[in-house]
């Protein structure tokens, strides 16, 4: 058994309009937060029961708001409390405006071997619309700086379906990404989440609602261009050069145990899922006082089967109905037969032995497709 460690850095310099992740824009309590996170790692030193970490992931928020010596300290605490595989993948999510050449070199020297850069677009109009803190030029130099200091495993995030962003602009984003010679692209449709500034601005009529037709068209354009360029579309939102999957995210989809550190972070082990408080001061207080900072649930066989269906159908490896049967005792083949036949007839899925996979058309509706087969 192996494991993954996720460290959530709940700070950002500026709030992007569309974002519903957990973060604060004041860095006032950064020192206490980092201390609490170190304590949380110490408290959970036995979590992996001797198994080695194959991945370590700094996510957020914006982990690159941390100075390199702060990251160094978190890494040292992780190394002290958990066994780590020698060829561990260590990812740092970073915003382009933080990635100066000096910063890139400093984090590379610490052993960070993968960067995930929040580019979102190479067009200043899109970036302004999203209220991103960086501009297109900074995105380009961030990637350049990363490569100069030796990073050879770089992901960039891109958002499609931005109102006002015509297909030509989107195609230019894809072309730029391909020319930059990065290894991985995570791509998300712009969605309007409850409680975000974007939702409020749309309600006030100050911003336009994203259109499904635009998102669908741009997603199809993306699939077409990247697959033609030889990239693997290995998960609904993720593309990579052959074989260069994100090991950390792949572990989530394969049910490998992971421990989440920091407010709002999730953990999973032995069929149990837990999630930390989504409030910075509450989290710091709970850790300092030694009380529980999370809630927990045990997955029922039905929860587990549905999750295996959902994650399987989103990936190139598909949902293996035999594996679901042996892991949960639930026979989707039998229980969901009429639905499976319907989805096959609609050409949303195809079947190879016990494995269901989504077709190209089905990739547009993978979550819907999985939900049609859910057991209760
Ligand atoms: S998208 Fe990233 S940088 Fe923007 S507010 Fe959300 S977490 Fe922070």
């Amino acid at each position: 058994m192996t494991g993954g460690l996720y460290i959530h850095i709940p700070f950002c310099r500026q709030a992007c309009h569309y974002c519903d992740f957990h973060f604060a824009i004041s860095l006032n309590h950064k020192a206490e937060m980092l201390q609490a996170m170190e304590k949380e790692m110490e408290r959970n030193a036995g979590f992996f029961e001797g198994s080695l970490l194959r991945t370590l992931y700094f996510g957020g928020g914006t982990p690159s708001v941390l100075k390199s010596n702060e990251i160094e300290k978190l890494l040292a605490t992780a190394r002290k409390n958990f066994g780590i595989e020698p060829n561990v993948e260590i990812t740092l999510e970073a915003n382009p405006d933080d990635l100066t050449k000096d910063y890139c070199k400093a984090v590379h020297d610490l052993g960070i071997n993968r960067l995930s850069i929040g580019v979102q677009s190479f067009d200043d109009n899109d970036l302004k619309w999203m209220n991103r803190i960086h501009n297109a030029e900074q995105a380009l130099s961030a990637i350049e700086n990363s490569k100069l200091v030796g990073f050879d495993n770089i992901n960039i995030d891109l958002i499609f379906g931005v109102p006002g962003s015509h297909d030509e602009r989107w195609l230019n984003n894809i072309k730029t990404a391909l020319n930059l010679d990065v290894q991985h692209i995570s791509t998300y449709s712009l969605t309007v989440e409850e409680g975000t500034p974007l939702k409020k601005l749309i309600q006030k009529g100050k911003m336009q609602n994203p259109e499904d037709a635009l998102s669908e068209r741009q997603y199809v354009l993306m699939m077409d261009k990247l697959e033609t360029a030889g990239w693997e579309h290995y998960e609904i939102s993720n593309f990579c050069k052959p074989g260069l999957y994100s090991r950390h995210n792949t572990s989530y989809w394969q049910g490998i145990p992971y421990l989440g550190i920091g407010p709002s972070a999730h953990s999973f082990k032995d069929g149990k899922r837990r999630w930390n408080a989504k409030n910075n001061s509450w989290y710091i207080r709970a850790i300092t006082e030694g009380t529980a900072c999370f809630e927990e649930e045990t997955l029922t066989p039905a929860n587990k089967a549905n999750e295996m269906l959902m994650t399987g159908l989103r990936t190139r490896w598909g949902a293996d109905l035999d594996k679901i049967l042996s892991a949960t005792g639930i026979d989707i083949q039998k229980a969901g037969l009429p639905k499976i036949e319907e989805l096959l007839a609609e050409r949303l899925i195809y079947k190879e032995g016990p494995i269901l996979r989504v077709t190209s058309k089905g990739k547009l509706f993978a979550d819907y497709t999985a939900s049609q087969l859910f057991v209760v």
Side-chain angles (χ1 to χ4, degrees):
M1 190 177 83
T2 55
L5 182 69
Y6 173 81
I7 301 180
H8 187 85
I9 307 299
F11 300 108
C12 291
R13 298 189 201 280
Q14 180 171 302
C16 304
H17 284 335
Y18 56 86
C19 181
D20 75 336
F21 292 140
H22 173 67
F23 66 92
I25 44 177
S26 157
L27 300 184
N28 284 346
H29 299 290
K30 192 172 68 166
E32 293 106 293
M33 176 59 74
L34 296 179
Q35 259 176 21
M37 286 172 152
E38 285 169 29
K39 252 198 189 139
E40 196 189 3
M41 281 194 246
E42 282 158 17
R43 263 198 202 180
N44 285 283
F47 186 89
F48 295 105
E49 298 166 29
S51 297
L52 301 184
L53 292 182
R54 71 196 287 259
T55 63
L56 208 155
Y57 193 102
F58 290 93
T62 309
S64 56
V65 300
L66 297 186
K67 296 188 186 107
S68 59
N69 63 330
E70 292 168 329
I71 296 176
E72 186 175 18
K73 204 148 175 260
L74 288 172
L75 276 172
T77 309
R79 290 196 171 104
K80 200 168 120 200
N81 289 285
F82 309 106
I84 296 185
E85 280 184 5
N87 65 341
V88 60
E89 173 192 272
I90 310 181
T91 305
L92 180 81
E93 283 184 358
N95 265 355
D97 49 306
D98 294 320
L99 293 179
T100 61
K101 200 172 157 205
D102 284 350
Y103 189 82
C104 289
K105 175 156 179 12
V107 296
H108 190 256
D109 287 350
L110 293 178
I112 307 275
N113 50 25
R114 185 171 184 272
L115 283 180
S116 178
I117 308 178
V119 169
Q120 318 310 352
S121 174
F122 292 104
D123 187 286
D124 283 337
N125 296 299
D126 285 348
L127 294 169
K128 266 194 202 128
W129 193 94
M130 298 176 199
N131 201 38
R132 295 288 304 179
I133 197 168
H134 69 276
N135 60 31
E137 202 186 314
Q138 285 171 306
L140 294 173
S141 64
I143 297 167
E144 210 42 57
N145 290 339
S146 316
K147 291 199 304 194
L148 275 175
V149 305
F151 279 103
D152 56 5
N153 196 356
I154 301 173
N155 169 63
I156 59 170
D157 289 343
L158 290 176
I159 295 182
F160 56 91
V162 179
S165 167
H166 42 75
D167 294 347
E168 206 180 311
R169 196 185 284 171
W170 177 238
L171 282 169
N172 191 49
N173 274 339
I174 301 169
K175 200 168 126 200
T176 308
L178 288 174
N179 287 340
L180 283 166
D181 196 24
V182 292
Q183 289 71 34
H184 193 283
I185 300 177
S186 296
T187 180
Y188 306 97
S189 165
L190 182 84
T191 48
V192 184
E193 305 294 345
E194 286 303 325
T196 57
L198 180 58
K199 176 89 185 181
K200 288 175 198 136
L201 289 163
I202 291 173
Q203 280 165 344
K204 286 183 191 157
K206 291 189 175 165
M207 281 190 128
Q208 219 183 317
N209 224 337
E211 287 170 27
D212 289 348
L214 179 75
S215 289
E216 280 174 23
R217 207 171 58 238
Q218 295 192 341
Y219 184 64
V220 172
L221 280 172
M222 176 98 182
M223 284 199 280
D224 181 44
K225 293 290 168 201
L226 289 182
E227 281 167 18
T228 306
W231 283 55
E232 280 188 50
H233 190 184
Y234 74 103
E235 199 268 346
I236 293 299
S237 303
N238 290 285
F239 298 81
C240 65
K241 287 195 172 159
L244 295 176
Y245 315 119
S246 156
R247 281 173 68 186
H248 189 78
N249 290 345
T250 307
S251 300
Y252 289 154
W253 307 321
Q254 291 172 344
I256 290 173
Y258 56 88
L259 171 66
I261 298 292
S264 83
H266 286 227
S267 305
F268 172 76
K269 195 178 78 166
D270 297 338
K272 282 191 183 150
R273 182 178 308 293
R274 69 191 205 201
W275 53 97
N276 284 353
K278 223 178 166 181
N279 178 304
N280 286 4
S281 18
W282 202 97
Y283 166 83
I284 292 172
R285 202 169 49 244
I287 295 285
T288 315
E289 290 171 359
T291 55
C293 64
F294 58 82
E295 288 181 68
E296 186 173 49
E297 71 175 358
T298 302
L299 297 183
T300 63
N303 294 149
K304 210 169 167 191
N306 292 343
E307 202 166 292
M308 288 175 82
L309 268 172
M310 176 68 89
T311 51
L313 281 175
R314 287 183 61 96
T315 67
R316 59 170 294 169
W317 299 282
D320 186 328
L321 303 185
D322 283 354
K323 273 195 189 153
I324 296 179
L325 176 62
S326 65
T328 67
I330 294 174
D331 191 345
I332 304 278
Q333 198 113 250
K334 241 191 223 161
L337 189 60
K339 272 290 171 197
I340 292 176
E341 281 173 351
E342 232 172 79
L343 296 168
L344 286 169
E346 289 175 67
R347 298 190 193 290
L348 289 173
I349 56 169
Y350 63 100
K351 195 166 180 295
E352 282 174 340
I355 300 180
L356 298 181
R357 291 189 180 86
V358 287
T359 60
S360 290
K361 178 183 165 195
K363 285 179 181 170
L364 288 164
F365 313 104
D367 293 351
Y368 159 82
T369 304
S371 71
Q372 293 303 295
L373 300 172
F374 279 177
V375 283
V376 281

